[in-house]
C-alpha cells in the first residue's frame, strides 16, 4: 500500500500487528524479518513511526481512531460477509486477525 501513495499529503499507515507510520517495502536484501505488516510482508518504518502492543493496536481499531481502512479479505461472500482466517494452503498457519474490526472500526 505504501508503495502507491503519493507525497501530496502526510498519511500514516497503521498495521494491526502494532505499527504506525509504515513505509514502503524495503529494497531487496534490506528486509528485516522483525519488521513486517499484518500480512507478513516486509515493510519499512517512516521517520516518526512507532511500534506498540497488539492490544493497543486493536484499541485504536475498535475505538474508531482510524479514518480509512484498506482491507484484504481472503473471501467475501455475495452478501459482503468477510472471512479471512485461512488461505487454504496446506502448510498455512491460520491467521485470525481483525478484518471485522477494521471493516467497522474505520470512520
Amino acid at each position: 500500500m505504501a508503495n502507491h501513495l503519493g507525497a501530496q499529503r502526510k498519511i500514516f499507515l497503521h498495521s494491526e500487528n502494532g505499527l504506525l507510520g509504515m513505509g514502503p517495502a524495503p529494497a531487496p536484501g534490506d528486509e528485516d524479518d522483525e519488521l513486517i505488516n499484518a500480512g507478513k510482508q516486509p515493510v519499512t518504518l517512516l521517520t516518526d513511526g512507532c511500534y506498540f502492543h497488539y492490544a493497543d493496536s486493536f484499541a485504536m481499531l475498535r475505538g474508531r481512531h482510524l479514518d480509512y481502512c484498506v482491507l484484504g479479505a481472503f473471501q467475501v461472500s455475495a452478501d459482503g460477509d468477510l472471512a479471512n482466517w485461512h488461505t487454504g494452503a496446506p502448510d498455512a498457519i491460520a491467521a485470525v486477525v481483525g478484518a471485522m474490526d477494521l471493516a467497522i472500526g474505520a470512520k
Side-chain angles (χ1 to χ4, degrees):
M1 175 75 185
N3 292 355
H4 305 287
L5 292 175
Q8 297 87 351
R9 296 188 335 169
K10 186 81 170 183
I11 297 173
F12 287 95
L13 295 178
H14 169 271
S15 181
E16 65 189 89
N17 60 320
L19 293 175
L20 185 63
M22 187 172 46
D30 289 339
E31 297 92 349
D32 179 344
D33 291 340
E34 295 187 14
L35 187 53
I36 58 173
N37 63 19
K40 301 180 181 109
Q41 299 167 322
V43 295
T44 56
L45 191 66
L46 299 177
T47 302
D48 297 331
C50 63
Y51 309 101
F52 42 89
H53 192 276
Y54 192 77
D56 294 324
S57 178
F58 273 80
M60 291 173 67
L61 298 176
R62 294 174 181 160
R64 299 189 50 83
H65 299 287
L66 302 178
D67 293 323
Y68 298 96
C69 169
V70 177
L71 180 64
F74 291 126
Q75 296 177 348
V76 180
S77 76
D79 294 327
D81 301 317
L82 302 174
N84 71 332
W85 46 269
H86 202 284
T87 63
D91 61 343
I93 298 171
V96 178
V97 291
M100 290 61 164
D101 294 288
L102 289 164
I104 63 165
K107 295 175 189 166

